[in-house]
Amino acid sequence: MMVQACGVDFGTSNSTVGWCRPGQPTLLALEDNKSTLPSVVFFNAEEDRTVFGRQAIGEYLEGYEGRLMRSLKSILGTGLMNGQTEVNGQTVRFMDLLTLFIRSLKQRAETQAGRSFQHVVLGRPVFFVDDDPVADQLAQDTLADVARLAGFTEIEFQFEPIAAAFDYESRIEREALVLIVDIGGGTSDFSLLRLAPERSQRLDRLDDILANGGVHIGGTDFDKQLSLNAVMPLLGYRSRLKNHTEVPSSYYFNLATWHTINFAYTRQTQAELRAVYADALERDKLDRLLRLIEQRTGHWLAIQVEAAKIDLSGADQCQLDLSEIQAGLSHTIARQEFDQAIEAQLLSIETTLQRLLNDAQLRADQVDTVFFTGGSSGVPLLRQRVAAMFPAAQAVEGDRYGSIGCGLALDAARRFA
């Protein structure tokens, strides 16, 4: 029997919707026959319309005037959530921006399924906000409010790594102690669970969850560090002024962080930069920065950096085309530079995994399987470091973009059957 509930994985970088149907794929096609919808909104000022996903990125790169917004999930749990921003001359609440995207997810899924969905299990990271339970609960409550505004009436939540575990459990033949390693766009989440085919139909799995952990580090943080270490120096980051101080770093941090790129486009920022330019020792680099800001190509640059990160997962080096900033400008990035750039983030992930083992009162050699999922789980150095921590475990590759959505759909079927 087909259930009347869906699972929604609202991701920092990509989102999916799953629905359990006999003999049918779990994930619904959301755009161009693909099950993922990039978590991107573009407000097209020229044609006065709002578009999402790949279409949003495409129209932005084609040069349409407007406002591109990405990594909206990163706003949850921050002070920005109660604020507003200017979109094509109008003031829009961030709450309404998230609602627009979730509503689009729901409508696309319903069109593909040929039915409406009122019941949903939403995925959530182990921690929206590190070390602040009150802010973390507020972030979940806010996402629930967004889901109601988007049209859902019955809303439940499940930790994203546990949802991935449910997906993996549907394919195993015997009991195993499994570590779920979910490296998404905005968070790294981990769960230690005891999984088995005979346990899979239980609604209450509390006794099987040995420990949960997470840290607010993900693919967008890897992008940011790669940008700051390998790209922003070409625009004057850490260059000097005549008084031997550095050019203020805030401009570069804003441009290297998806949800703050637009802060670099304000008139105040441009005025400040022109004053800084007068005292700069390397004006050619500041010329590039000013040109990027005046042309509002910060999102274009972030897309190039993200593509470089992906290329470096399979190659020792990649070539970054920066001709939009300066004709003929390109830059070679070696994987070693990327590895060095994300060292602090990897140390934090290792610390979180060790804390997870301590919480579960287990040794690393007792873990049978490490199940990798999430779009950023393929970073080679990350895989090496996790393998070194769990040398006796079998490494299993999940669907990087689909395991959580499938698991949430299974959970929705159990909860709302």
Side-chain angles (χ1 to χ4, degrees):
M1 183 179 68
M2 291 190 294
V3 298
Q4 300 180 10
C6 66
V8 171
D9 176 20
F10 170 41
T12 303
S13 299
N14 292 278
S15 297
T16 62
V17 179
W19 177 39
C20 287
R21 300 162 291 170
Q24 296 291 322
T26 301
L27 295 182
L28 294 163
L30 301 177
E31 184 183 28
D32 299 336
N33 292 319
K34 295 181 173 63
S35 60
T36 57
L37 181 70
S39 304
V40 186
V41 183
F42 181 59
F43 297 92
N44 188 319
E46 294 183 39
E47 300 188 358
D48 191 25
R49 61 178 181 171
T50 304
V51 292
F52 305 88
R54 294 171 187 83
Q55 183 181 2
I57 296 171
E59 292 192 7
Y60 170 78
L61 293 177
E62 287 171 18
Y64 283 93
E65 289 292 327
R67 174 85 183 266
L68 183 77
M69 303 197 73
R70 190 175 180 182
S71 297
L72 293 171
K73 186 178 179 181
S74 299
I75 298 171
L76 288 166
T78 73
L80 287 176
M81 200 60 235
N82 295 321
Q84 52 195 27
T85 187
E86 183 179 310
V87 175
N88 299 337
Q90 295 184 332
T91 299
V92 180
R93 297 189 309 160
F94 283 107
M95 183 87 168
D96 295 330
L97 293 177
L98 264 68
T99 302
L100 277 174
F101 184 79
I102 298 295
R103 184 180 292 126
S104 178
L105 267 182
K106 182 176 185 291
Q107 291 172 345
R108 289 164 186 261
E110 290 174 339
T111 297
Q112 184 68 20
R115 54 150 297 115
S116 65
F117 292 116
Q118 302 301 315
H119 301 55
V120 65
V121 174
L122 276 165
R124 59 149 294 166
V126 174
F127 298 115
F128 281 107
V129 183
D130 294 340
D131 303 318
D132 191 340
V134 174
D136 186 79
Q137 184 61 48
L138 178 60
Q140 177 175 302
D141 293 343
T142 301
L143 184 54
D145 291 340
V146 167
R148 290 188 189 93
L149 289 170
F152 291 109
T153 56
E154 296 291 331
I155 300 160
E156 299 286 347
F157 284 91
Q158 182 57 270
F159 290 131
E160 290 160 358
I162 292 177
F166 292 158
D167 177 50
Y168 176 57
E169 188 176 50
S170 69
R171 303 195 293 275
I172 63 175
E173 297 179 353
R174 61 180 181 274
E175 182 175 309
L177 179 59
V178 180
L179 168 65
I180 305 297
V181 176
D182 171 24
I183 314 294
T187 58
S188 294
D189 294 307
F190 313 102
S191 288
L192 272 167
L193 304 97
R194 201 168 298 282
L195 304 179
E198 59 271 18
R199 300 172 187 262
S200 63
Q201 295 307 310
R202 296 180 184 174
L203 189 59
D204 184 1
R205 300 298 301 274
L206 190 60
D207 291 343
D208 294 331
I209 302 168
L210 306 182
N212 283 321
V215 62
H216 209 74
I217 291 171
T220 55
D221 298 285
F222 297 157
D223 296 345
K224 177 179 179 177
Q225 296 306 317
L226 180 60
S227 181
L228 288 171
N229 284 269
V231 181
M232 291 301 162
L234 300 173
L235 309 182
Y237 178 48
R238 290 183 173 164
S239 65
R240 298 282 175 175
L241 302 175
K242 291 176 182 177
N243 63 4
H244 303 296
T245 62
E246 290 186 354
V247 173
S249 61
S250 58
Y251 313 123
Y252 304 100
F253 275 77
N254 281 338
L255 287 169
T257 307
W258 270 104
H259 60 277
T260 61
I261 290 173
N262 286 290
F263 294 169
Y265 299 152
T266 65
R267 292 187 182 91
Q268 180 181 345
T269 296
Q270 293 185 47
E272 290 175 1
L273 267 175
R274 290 191 182 95
V276 170
Y277 180 86
D279 290 328
L281 294 178
E282 297 181 79
R283 289 186 178 180
D284 57 327
K285 294 180 179 180
L286 270 292
D287 281 330
R288 295 168 183 164
L289 176 62
L290 282 166
R291 191 177 302 116
L292 178 142
I293 288 174
E294 289 167 358
Q295 295 177 352
R296 298 193 171 210
T297 49
H299 290 92
W300 172 86
L301 179 60
I303 290 169
Q304 306 313 304
V305 172
E306 181 185 35
K309 175 195 68 178
I310 294 169
D311 289 345
L312 290 170
S313 291
D316 292 333
Q317 64 179 34
C318 69
Q319 194 75 11
L320 197 63
D321 178 10
L322 301 173
S323 55
E324 287 284 328
I325 299 172
Q326 179 181 317
L329 181 64
S330 64
H331 182 60
T332 301
I333 305 176
R335 182 189 289 177
Q336 185 178 6
E337 291 181 78
F338 178 45
D339 291 346
Q340 292 171 350
I342 64 173
E343 176 62 26
Q345 285 68 40
L346 294 184
L347 284 173
S348 183
I349 287 171
E350 287 175 321
T351 299
T352 305
L353 283 170
Q354 187 57 56
R355 190 182 303 124
L356 188 79
L357 283 172
N358 296 341
D359 290 345
Q361 298 182 331
L362 292 170
R363 302 185 313 274
D365 61 7
Q366 292 177 276
V367 176
D368 299 309
T369 303
V370 177
F371 181 80
F372 289 97
T373 188
S376 297
S377 64
V379 172
L381 187 59
L382 168 70
R383 300 291 284 261
Q384 294 169 22
R385 301 279 273 269
V386 174
M389 289 189 71
F390 301 92
Q394 172 193 14
V396 174
E397 187 77 34
D399 182 336
R400 290 185 188 174
Y401 301 102
S403 289
I404 293 172
C406 289
L408 291 171
L410 288 168
D411 201 25
R414 285 192 285 261
R415 291 181 190 234
F416 296 114

